[in-house]
Amino acid sequence: MGTTEQRVRRAAIELFAERGFHGTGIRDLAERAGLSSATLYHYMGTKEDLLVSIMRESLTRLVTAGERLPGASPQERVAGLVQLHVLTHAVQQEETRVVDDEMRSLTPARRAEVVALRDRYEALWQSAIDDGCSVGAFTVSAPRVARLALLEMCSGVARWYAPDGPIPLPELAVRYTEMALGLLGGAEVPPADVAGIRVLVDTVWASQN
Amino acid sequence: MGTTEQRVRRAAIELFAERGFHGTGIRDLAERAGLSSATLYHYMGTKEDLLVSIMRESLTRLVTAGERLPGASPQERVAGLVQLHVLTHAVQQEETRVVDDEMRSLTPARRAEVVALRDRYEALWQSAIDDGCSVGAFTVSAPRVARLALLEMCSGVARWYAPDGPIPLPELAVRYTEMALGLLGGAEVPPADVAGIRVLVDTVWASQN
DNA sequence: CATGCCCGATCGATCGATCGATCGGGAACG
DNA sequence: CGTTCCCGATCGATCGATCGATCGGGCATG
């Protein structure tokens, strides 16, 4: 079961992902969490506070894991980032969709904090791509555009992947690694250590709770 | 200026893109269109009717243009689809974002119609990719995953591209073509006819109004 | 030309419902 | 007794939508 606060958070992630922030009412939230709408406010601040805390936790987890990724060569670092990103977006589908889609629902002040976290994460991608370009490992001609294209492509996993579908999770990660490196051009695909990434994801997840 | 109905539609596209469907009130819509909220209902049905009609028009335009694309080889067809998609998502940014992001705001019944249109469009992509794989032009190992990845990557353009930024529109289209064919693996990049695609987009747009 | 009628366009006022949020108090537990 | 957990009742605001009424310009009739 978990604590009541965790139940509230799970309910919020489910409903925000399904109906959107503005499409989810306080009473919907309360019903899903098994509480009255009044009791809800014992466990959270405003509805926006709840959204921000979900985003902060999710992005912090991603940044932490991203910074702990092994891999010396640009190819290995990009491969690791792709696998980390695809894995989290496939496993924590609803949560990542809330993070990616509900930025616009935030007040400008709250948005700034979340965007800063997201920028920190995306900088990891940019430096790996730039390094690969400057050492000649990648041949893509617009590294900034490549970063944006890669991130959109990998985030999309959260919008369609079916965990109980025909594609096993490790295979998904490998396919995306191949496509990403093909997109960047001229790179050999380094041996994949999906299991290692998975352990990293689980470790960071556990240490956050 | 255009007709009042066109002004309402433009206002809706702007606000739905900026704040989302549920985040946009009838009074916001009316104010942006320069009408009273009551007059709004003289030009539209319900708020959902307005959203559906925006989506239907936008997707119909995309399907029409996609079916008229020239190109015999799989490479040429994929290149054409990428350029068509990127161009429309860069030029009609707000409109395409509404189409891509607000599906979940639709009632199941209305959603079905719109999804059918979208599926028809995506089938064009799938057959081009599948053909390329079966004749050995592409080496990607999961054609269905590749389609999903490509579409997400190209749609993402609507979320970040700045029309008055440092990247000219034709260059953007060419870069995406290169990345897409790199992602599919083993394909030479066919000569790009971005101007031709642009003419096609404008033609279809004009014939719809 | 003048008159009377019609109708698209528009609005202020208001509907019932729901929104996010708050309050005071009861129940359970130490 | 105090603290934690919880809820029914309720707040003012806003939601999407509808109402009756008004205005003005075509248009047919005499």
Side-chain angles (χ1 to χ4, degrees):
Chain A
M1 276 292 174
T3 66
T4 304
E5 194 186 342
Q6 287 171 333
R7 255 191 305 130
V8 170
R9 176 175 294 253
R10 265 200 306 272
I13 291 173
E14 290 172 16
L15 289 175
F16 288 169
E18 179 187 329
R19 312 178 191 175
F21 179 72
H22 288 302
T24 302
I26 290 291
R27 289 159 186 81
D28 304 327
L29 232 35
E31 189 187 6
R32 181 67 62 103
L35 299 172
S36 77
S37 71
T39 308
L40 212 54
Y41 284 92
H42 181 72
Y43 292 96
M44 66 175 207
T46 66
K47 197 173 75 154
E48 190 180 18
D49 287 338
L50 183 57
L51 175 61
V52 169
S53 99
I54 289 171
M55 289 179 159
R56 182 166 35 218
E57 181 182 309
S58 182
L59 279 172
T60 300
R61 200 156 49 214
L62 205 53
V63 169
T64 304
E67 288 174 345
R68 290 190 192 168
L69 271 179
S73 73
Q75 291 99 318
E76 286 169 328
R77 282 160 61 204
V78 167
L81 285 169
V82 167
Q83 287 156 26
L84 167 64
H85 200 94
V86 168
L87 239 51
T88 58
H89 277 67
V91 173
Q92 282 100 39
Q93 236 168 23
E94 294 176 323
E95 185 181 285
T96 50
R97 234 160 51 211
V98 170
V99 175
D100 293 338
D101 295 346
E102 299 298 339
M103 288 280 185
R104 65 165 164 211
S105 303
L106 293 175
T107 296
R110 319 294 303 267
R111 180 197 257 114
E113 175 203 353
V114 179
V115 167
L117 261 176
R118 192 196 57 183
D119 288 349
R120 222 176 111 195
Y121 173 67
E122 297 193 352
L124 296 175
W125 283 72
Q126 194 64 66
S127 75
I129 295 169
D130 288 345
D131 289 354
C133 285
S134 58
V135 303
F138 305 143
T139 63
V140 71
S141 50
R144 225 187 78 89
V145 176
R147 184 203 88 218
L148 291 159
L150 282 178
L151 276 168
E152 292 288 349
M153 153 183 141
C154 293
S155 295
V157 167
R159 292 195 188 90
W160 63 264
Y161 181 70
D164 51 354
I167 310 169
L169 210 50
E171 185 190 327
L172 182 78
V174 172
R175 295 289 159 262
Y176 264 79
T177 309
E178 292 166 353
M179 292 190 295
L181 291 170
L183 182 152
L184 291 169
E188 286 178 25
V189 181
D193 178 23
V194 179
I197 306 281
R198 184 60 195 263
V199 169
L200 174 62
V201 172
D202 292 342
T203 304
V204 173
W205 177 286
S207 73
Q208 199 174 50
N209 303 339
Chain B
M1 277 294 169
T3 66
T4 303
E5 193 185 344
Q6 287 171 335
R7 256 190 306 131
V8 170
R9 175 174 294 252
R10 265 199 306 273
I13 290 173
E14 290 172 17
L15 290 175
F16 289 168
E18 179 186 328
R19 313 178 190 174
F21 179 72
H22 288 303
T24 302
I26 289 291
R27 289 158 186 80
D28 304 328
L29 232 34
E31 189 186 7
R32 180 67 64 103
L35 300 172
S36 76
S37 71
T39 309
L40 214 55
Y41 283 91
H42 181 73
Y43 292 96
M44 64 176 208
T46 65
K47 200 173 71 154
E48 190 182 17
D49 288 337
L50 183 57
L51 175 61
V52 169
S53 99
I54 290 171
M55 289 178 159
R56 180 167 36 218
E57 181 182 309
S58 183
L59 280 173
T60 300
R61 201 157 45 214
L62 206 54
V63 169
T64 304
E67 288 175 344
R68 291 190 192 168
L69 271 179
S73 72
Q75 290 99 316
E76 286 170 328
R77 281 161 61 205
V78 167
L81 286 168
V82 167
Q83 287 155 25
L84 167 64
H85 200 94
V86 167
L87 239 50
T88 58
H89 277 68
V91 174
Q92 281 101 39
Q93 236 167 25
E94 295 176 322
E95 185 181 284
T96 49
R97 234 159 53 210
V98 170
V99 175
D100 293 338
D101 295 346
E102 299 298 339
M103 288 279 187
R104 66 167 164 208
S105 303
L106 293 175
T107 296
R110 317 295 302 267
R111 180 198 256 110
E113 175 202 353
V114 179
V115 167
L117 261 176
R118 194 196 56 184
D119 288 349
R120 220 176 113 195
Y121 173 67
E122 297 192 353
L124 296 175
W125 284 71
Q126 194 63 67
S127 75
I129 295 169
D130 288 346
D131 289 353
C133 286
S134 59
V135 303
F138 305 143
T139 64
V140 70
S141 50
R144 224 188 79 88
V145 175
R147 185 203 86 220
L148 292 158
L150 281 178
L151 276 168
E152 291 288 349
M153 154 183 140
C154 294
S155 295
V157 167
R159 292 194 190 90
W160 63 263
Y161 181 69
D164 51 353
I167 309 168
L169 211 51
E171 186 189 326
L172 182 78
V174 172
R175 295 288 159 265
Y176 264 79
T177 308
E178 293 166 354
M179 291 190 296
L181 291 170
L183 182 153
L184 291 169
E188 285 178 26
V189 181
D193 179 22
V194 180
I197 306 281
R198 183 61 195 262
V199 169
L200 175 62
V201 173
D202 293 340
T203 305
V204 173
W205 175 286
S207 74
Q208 199 174 50
N209 304 339

